[in-house]
Amino acid sequence: MNMTLRSIELAGFKSFGKKSSVSFLTPITAVVGPNGSGKSNIVESIRFVLGEQSMKSLRGKGGVDLIFKGSKVTSASNHAMVTITFDNSKKIFSFTNSGLGVSLDYDEVSISREVFTDGGNKYSINGTEVRLKDVVDLLSSVNIGSSGHHIISQGEADRVLNASNKDRRAMIEDALGLKIYQYRIREGERKLDKTILNMKEVQASRREIAPHLVFLKKQVQVIEKAREMREELGALYKTYFSAESTYINIETKRLQTTRHDLDTKMKSIEEQIGALKKDSNKDEVESEHSKKIKEYEAKMLDLRSMKDELVRKLGRIEGVIESIERELSRTGDSNEKVIPESEWRGIVANIKEKIDEALRLEDVAEITQVLHEMREQISALDSKKEYKEHTIDSKVGKEYEEMKDVREKITADLQKISENEKSILTEISTLRVREQEMQINLRSNERVLYELLRAQNEVTSNQHSLHFEEEKLLLIKNAFEMELGEAGALIGREALDYKNIEVSGEIVRQAQDDLRRKIERIKIKLEDAGSGSGPDVMKEYEDTQERDLFLGKEIDDLNKSIESLRVLIVELKETLDEEFKTGVEKINKQFQEFFALMFGGGSAYLSVVMENKRVKSAQIDDDESIEDMDHDGEELEFERGIEINVTLPHKKVKDLHMLSGGERSLASIALLFAISQVNPPPFLVLDETDAALDEANSRKYGNMLENLSKYSQLIVVTHNRETMSRANVLYGVTMDSSGVSKLLSIHLEDASAYAK
């Protein structure tokens, strides 16, 4: 044997409420004890720790049924744990399909399994928590499979006989160590199904993005066209901006120069005009001379008015004097009317006083007013004359003289006024001569001033025109700045590259206008193209295209993987079939020998049969023939099974159902032993497989046990004394009154008592 089972330890498993352990240090170990003591629980613990998933095989409905439920003296466990330990001194354990990082470089390998009250399980290898898959993988490396061919529980000795052809094939494959192929085939088929599913998902994803990719491609074409238009627009912009910038700079300099020249010329003209006006200011000259002349003319009018008034007054005074003289010279009757002396004297005194005042003031209006009053007073006196006797006295003579004095004074005033008139006329004449001379000079200055004003108006007109040009250039500058901003938004900073372009020759505005119209047409086309989201669309298209290429490559890779998996599965199946065929031939040879030994002759052999299996097919592969499909769309799949053929000596028995219970037990034992001889497992567990044997067959059974122990370690649960006698070590199982199973090592003599 390459390896052996060292021990098994139970804690809280079924009836083993306390920790118990069994050591397997000999080729044959027997477990004995009365019925119901818990012997079969040891067998089931081995099934349990090796990964058995069927609760039926463990005689339970769920994981909680495997946990010790407690007794009167022992508390219930919250979990059950079984640990099995193998000898690994020859380092035969290995992982075949797992990358688990568990070191197996030890002389012992232990496998533990725990089950908890919630049904959860925990697996460990050498104290490291692992998966069930890892445990199965490890056991497969030493020909310990999950079918349980190496563990025959109570009442299952003829399980191989009752099994279906398919299940029987599985049991034999497991015994032959071919389970690894089945495992790899299932793994391959699982990977194949998953890969096919992945490919369908990838294909669906690719089909899903295909319309969007077409849409994006069209959008990209539009964007590419827009990009070409932007490139053309960029070139046009650069040409336009360089020429426009050059034109603006040239015009700005020209207008600045013109503005400077006009301002300089205007300043010079204004200075000349100012100097000319300062030297001969027409308005001031005219104003000064005209004012003086008008003053003199006003004085002349006043003097003439005063003179006229004095002349009129003088005439009246002379009239009065003449009247007095006539009166004085008159002789006549005494009945003539006369004015009383007192009255006319008062009047004369008043008139004299007013005349003196008027003369003193040289007020013509006042003199005129005095003369008017004299006229009224004289008229009043005339109406008040009384006819008196004419008398001439000294008073009349005195008044007469006074009147004469007034006349002389008026005459003198008139003379004075005449002299003033003459003087004023001379001054006016002088002023008029001077005015004429200045007028002549002014007319000469006016001609110069006219020319200056004409030149000033011309400069002003040019300034207005220049202002219009400046305003026009300002509009061009503003339009240029706006267009530059729009260009930056459309084509980016490269619009500023126009500064690096040199412009030669004359810049024609018409050509610029034509270029601007061409730019506007391209801008409209760009707006219609809707290129605003271009970068996003291009990014999405590139991502989608990359995704499509990735999916296409993934589909190719998946197709290759599918093909590779299909080839692998076919190769594994072919290898499995070949190994199975070879193994069945070996089993048949051993089966015939053990069967003849057990029955004293006869024949027994296994035959491979083909069975049809109908399965639903989702699709027909390219290499699949239509003949492989029935009319309902089902695929016909062929499965290989194992049939058992036996012939008893001296009996016409060819059907297993015709065998008696004892015969079936012997046939099943023969087959199981034959299977174990072909590819011996590390150990065999036999739970009361000898229960139906008589004494003679028990000896034959014992002989076969000793023969098998050369190849596999045997653990037998038995009540048979013959079987016990072949064991090297016996363990007794008892159960106390509290319902807790206990283990103890016993001698053969003591075992006989337990077997009764």
Side-chain angles (χ1 to χ4, degrees):
M1 292 184 293
N2 293 325
M3 56 82 68
T4 58
L5 180 64
R6 285 279 183 91
S7 64
I8 185 167
E9 185 178 275
L10 303 84
F13 184 83
K14 286 196 168 185
S15 61
F16 290 88
K18 297 181 179 179
K19 184 181 291 186
S20 302
S21 65
V22 182
S23 298
F24 306 103
L25 305 177
T26 58
I28 302 175
T29 301
V31 180
V32 301
N35 291 330
S37 62
K39 299 188 302 298
S40 295
N41 289 341
I42 295 176
V43 177
E44 291 170 1
S45 71
I46 297 174
R47 284 184 179 274
F48 171 76
V49 74
L50 296 182
E52 179 64 62
Q53 297 300 299
S54 174
M55 288 296 105
K56 183 178 180 181
S57 298
L58 301 176
R59 296 184 300 168
K61 295 181 180 180
V64 68
D65 296 330
L66 306 180
I67 302 173
F68 179 68
K69 294 179 173 56
S71 65
K72 294 180 180 179
V73 297
T74 306
S75 302
S77 299
N78 58 7
H79 74 290
M81 181 175 180
V82 179
T83 301
I84 189 168
T85 303
F86 296 94
D87 176 22
N88 191 40
S89 57
K90 295 184 179 180
K91 308 296 188 293
I92 63 172
F93 277 101
S94 63
F95 290 106
T96 58
N97 293 282
S98 175
L100 187 67
V102 177
S103 175
L104 300 176
D105 191 21
Y106 296 97
D107 291 338
E108 291 183 348
V109 171
S110 62
I111 300 173
S112 299
R113 180 182 180 183
E114 294 179 79
V115 63
F116 302 90
T117 54
D118 61 356
N121 285 264
K122 177 181 177 183
Y123 299 88
S124 300
I125 297 176
N126 286 351
T128 300
E129 187 172 351
V130 296
R131 303 167 297 174
L132 172 61
K133 178 182 177 182
D134 301 317
V135 174
V136 174
D137 183 25
L138 180 66
L139 295 174
S140 297
S141 68
V142 292
N143 196 30
I144 300 175
S146 60
S147 67
H149 74 279
H150 49 287
I151 302 175
I152 309 300
S153 298
Q154 186 177 355
E156 292 185 347
D158 60 347
R159 180 164 62 95
V160 68
L161 302 182
N162 295 327
S164 66
N165 293 340
K166 177 184 176 183
D167 293 339
R168 193 178 294 126
R169 173 186 168 95
M171 294 169 62
I172 292 174
E173 286 178 347
D174 196 3
L176 293 172
L178 303 178
K179 203 68 178 179
I180 187 64
Y181 292 104
Q182 289 286 13
Y183 177 80
R184 290 177 178 176
I185 290 172
R186 286 196 301 271
E187 281 291 302
E189 289 175 341
R190 183 185 63 79
K191 290 181 180 179
L192 178 61
D193 293 340
K194 186 177 180 180
T195 303
I196 292 174
L197 180 62
N198 289 340
M199 187 176 70
K200 291 179 178 178
E201 291 176 352
V202 173
Q203 288 174 334
S205 298
R206 196 180 190 192
R207 287 194 299 270
E208 185 178 348
I209 68 173
H212 188 56
L213 184 62
V214 173
F215 170 76
L216 289 175
K217 187 176 181 180
K218 293 180 179 179
Q219 291 294 104
V220 167
Q221 291 174 349
V222 173
I223 293 170
E224 287 293 330
K225 181 65 177 177
R227 183 185 59 80
E228 293 175 0
M229 288 190 291
R230 279 196 298 273
E231 290 178 354
E232 182 182 0
L233 182 63
L236 293 175
Y237 264 136
K238 292 176 184 178
T239 302
Y240 173 78
F241 286 149
S242 61
E244 195 74 357
S245 177
T246 302
Y247 173 80
I248 290 173
N249 291 333
I250 293 174
E251 283 298 296
T252 300
K253 291 179 180 179
R254 183 184 69 79
L255 293 178
Q256 288 176 347
T257 302
T258 303
R259 169 66 67 182
H260 179 268
D261 293 342
L262 289 176
D263 289 346
T264 301
K265 190 174 183 180
M266 177 61 77
K267 184 178 180 181
S268 175
I269 291 173
E270 288 176 348
E271 289 176 352
Q272 293 180 54
I273 292 174
L276 190 61
K277 287 183 176 181
K278 186 176 180 181
D279 293 339
S280 56
N281 192 318
K282 179 182 178 182
D283 292 336
E284 292 181 358
V285 171
E286 287 183 352
S287 178
E288 183 180 352
H289 285 78
S290 297
K291 185 178 180 181
K292 288 181 178 180
I293 291 173
K294 288 178 181 179
E295 288 178 354
Y296 285 130
E297 288 178 345
K299 287 182 178 182
M300 281 295 294
L301 290 174
D302 292 340
L303 289 174
R304 287 177 180 176
S305 185
M306 187 182 296
K307 183 179 179 181
D308 292 342
E309 186 65 26
L310 290 175
V311 170
R312 286 191 297 272
K313 185 178 179 181
L314 181 62
R316 287 192 294 272
I317 294 297
E318 287 179 346
V320 172
I321 291 173
E322 290 177 357
S323 178
I324 292 172
E325 287 178 348
R326 282 194 303 270
E327 289 292 331
L328 291 176
S329 61
R330 244 182 230 177
T331 61
D333 67 50
S334 58
N335 293 327
E336 186 180 2
K337 285 183 172 181
V338 295
I339 299 171
E341 182 180 358
S342 60
E343 189 174 348
W344 66 262
R345 287 186 180 277
I347 295 170
V348 170
N350 188 32
I351 293 172
K352 184 179 179 182
E353 183 181 352
K354 289 185 178 181
I355 290 172
D356 292 339
E357 180 68 20
L359 292 173
R360 186 179 62 82
L361 297 174
E362 295 182 354
D363 188 348
V364 177
E366 185 67 23
I367 294 173
T368 304
Q369 181 65 28
V370 170
L371 293 175
H372 283 297
E373 292 178 356
M374 287 174 64
R375 183 184 297 155
E376 292 176 354
Q377 290 179 5
I378 291 171
S379 298
L381 287 175
D382 188 60
S383 64
K384 293 181 179 181
K385 286 180 178 182
E386 295 180 359
Y387 289 98
K388 294 183 176 180
E389 185 178 355
H390 181 73
T391 58
I392 301 177
D393 54 18
S394 59
K395 292 183 180 178
V396 175
K398 188 178 180 178
E399 290 176 1
Y400 177 73
E401 293 296 328
E402 290 177 352
M403 294 296 290
K404 288 175 64 177
D405 291 338
V406 171
R407 184 180 60 181
E408 291 177 357
K409 188 176 183 178
I410 291 173
T411 302
D413 291 337
L414 288 173
Q415 182 64 35
K416 187 178 180 179
I417 289 172
S418 297
E419 291 175 356
N420 288 336
E421 285 181 344
K422 192 180 289 184
S423 175
I424 289 172
L425 287 173
T426 301
E427 190 67 27
I428 290 174
S429 177
T430 303
L431 289 173
R432 290 191 183 280
V433 171
R434 292 180 180 176
E435 186 178 18
Q436 289 178 355
E437 292 175 352
M438 293 182 69
Q439 287 293 331
I440 294 171
N441 187 42
L442 284 173
R443 280 194 293 272
S444 176
N445 289 342
E446 282 180 353
R447 286 192 296 273
V448 176
L449 182 62
Y450 174 78
E451 294 297 328
L452 290 173
L453 292 174
R454 186 180 63 79
Q456 187 183 43
N457 290 335
E458 183 179 351
V459 172
T460 302
S461 177
N462 292 335
Q463 285 178 330
H464 288 319
S465 299
L466 179 64
H467 179 72
F468 175 76
E469 290 185 62
E470 289 173 338
E471 290 292 329
K472 184 179 179 182
L473 183 62
L474 181 61
L475 293 175
I476 294 174
K477 285 182 178 179
N478 293 336
F480 175 78
E481 295 294 332
M482 186 179 297
E483 290 169 345
L484 194 62
E486 292 178 354
L490 286 172
I491 64 175
R493 292 189 58 82
E494 61 182 274
L496 300 177
D497 293 344
Y498 75 90
K499 297 179 179 179
N500 301 325
I501 300 177
E502 294 184 1
V503 180
S504 59
E506 184 182 359
I507 299 172
V508 183
R509 295 307 301 169
Q510 183 62 44
Q512 285 294 95
D513 293 339
D514 295 340
L515 192 57
R516 185 162 53 248
R517 283 192 292 270
K518 189 173 182 179
I519 289 172
E520 289 300 322
R521 287 195 296 270
I522 296 177
K523 284 167 62 177
I524 293 172
K525 291 180 180 179
L526 277 175
E527 291 176 359
D528 294 339
S531 58
S533 59
D536 295 334
V537 174
M538 290 292 293
K539 180 65 166 60
E540 186 178 1
Y541 174 70
E542 292 173 358
D543 293 343
T544 306
Q545 189 179 44
E546 185 178 350
R547 174 66 175 169
D548 182 70
L549 293 174
F550 172 78
L551 293 176
K553 185 178 182 301
E554 192 171 2
I555 289 173
D556 292 339
D557 293 340
L558 289 171
N559 277 323
K560 292 178 182 178
S561 297
I562 290 171
E563 184 62 28
S564 177
L565 287 170
R566 284 174 173 170
V567 171
L568 176 63
I569 291 170
V570 170
E571 291 176 351
L572 288 172
K573 287 182 177 180
E574 290 176 352
T575 302
L576 176 61
D577 290 342
E578 187 66 28
E579 293 288 336
F580 183 74
K581 181 180 179 182
T582 302
V584 169
E585 291 176 356
K586 293 179 181 179
I587 290 172
N588 279 335
K589 183 179 180 181
Q590 295 293 325
F591 188 25
Q592 177 62 40
E593 292 179 1
F594 283 117
F595 189 84
L597 178 62
M598 297 293 286
F599 290 95
S603 64
Y605 64 93
L606 305 176
S607 61
V608 180
V609 296
M610 304 295 290
E611 296 179 346
N612 294 336
K613 180 182 179 182
R614 298 180 183 271
V615 295
K616 294 288 185 180
S617 180
Q619 61 183 15
I620 302 176
D621 296 334
D622 295 338
D623 58 349
E624 187 176 12
S625 173
I626 191 65
E627 285 80 8
D628 296 329
M629 304 290 295
D630 66 8
H631 297 290
D632 297 327
E634 293 183 338
E635 182 180 352
L636 299 179
E637 187 177 281
F638 298 98
E639 290 184 336
R640 290 178 174 84
I642 293 294
E643 239 178 28
I644 301 175
N645 303 280
V646 297
T647 302
L648 298 180
H650 313 297
K651 290 185 178 182
K652 295 182 179 181
V653 177
K654 295 185 179 181
D655 192 341
L656 293 176
H657 298 290
M658 298 177 65
L659 298 176
S660 65
E663 291 171 341
R664 291 179 63 86
S665 294
L666 291 175
S668 64
I669 292 171
L671 179 57
L672 290 172
F673 286 179
I675 293 173
S676 63
Q677 287 293 294
V678 175
N679 189 18
F683 64 90
L684 282 173
V685 180
L686 305 172
D687 187 6
E688 298 186 26
T689 56
D690 55 356
L693 301 179
D694 55 17
E695 185 177 352
N697 288 327
S698 293
R699 285 194 296 273
K700 295 177 181 178
Y701 180 79
N703 292 333
M704 286 191 294
L705 290 179
E706 290 183 349
N707 188 45
L708 287 174
S709 67
K710 298 176 182 178
Y711 307 99
S712 300
Q713 193 176 11
L714 301 179
I715 303 166
V716 294
V717 179
T718 183
H719 292 282
N720 193 304
R721 290 176 58 86
E722 181 65 30
T723 303
M724 293 181 198
S725 66
R726 307 299 177 103
N728 307 109
V729 175
L730 279 74
Y731 281 92
V733 181
T734 64
M735 181 176 290
D736 58 22
S737 59
S738 64
V740 179
S741 297
K742 295 182 179 180
L743 283 169
L744 65 154
S745 180
I746 61 176
H747 298 288
L748 181 61
E749 293 80 10
D750 298 328
S752 299
Y754 285 107
K756 293 181 180 178

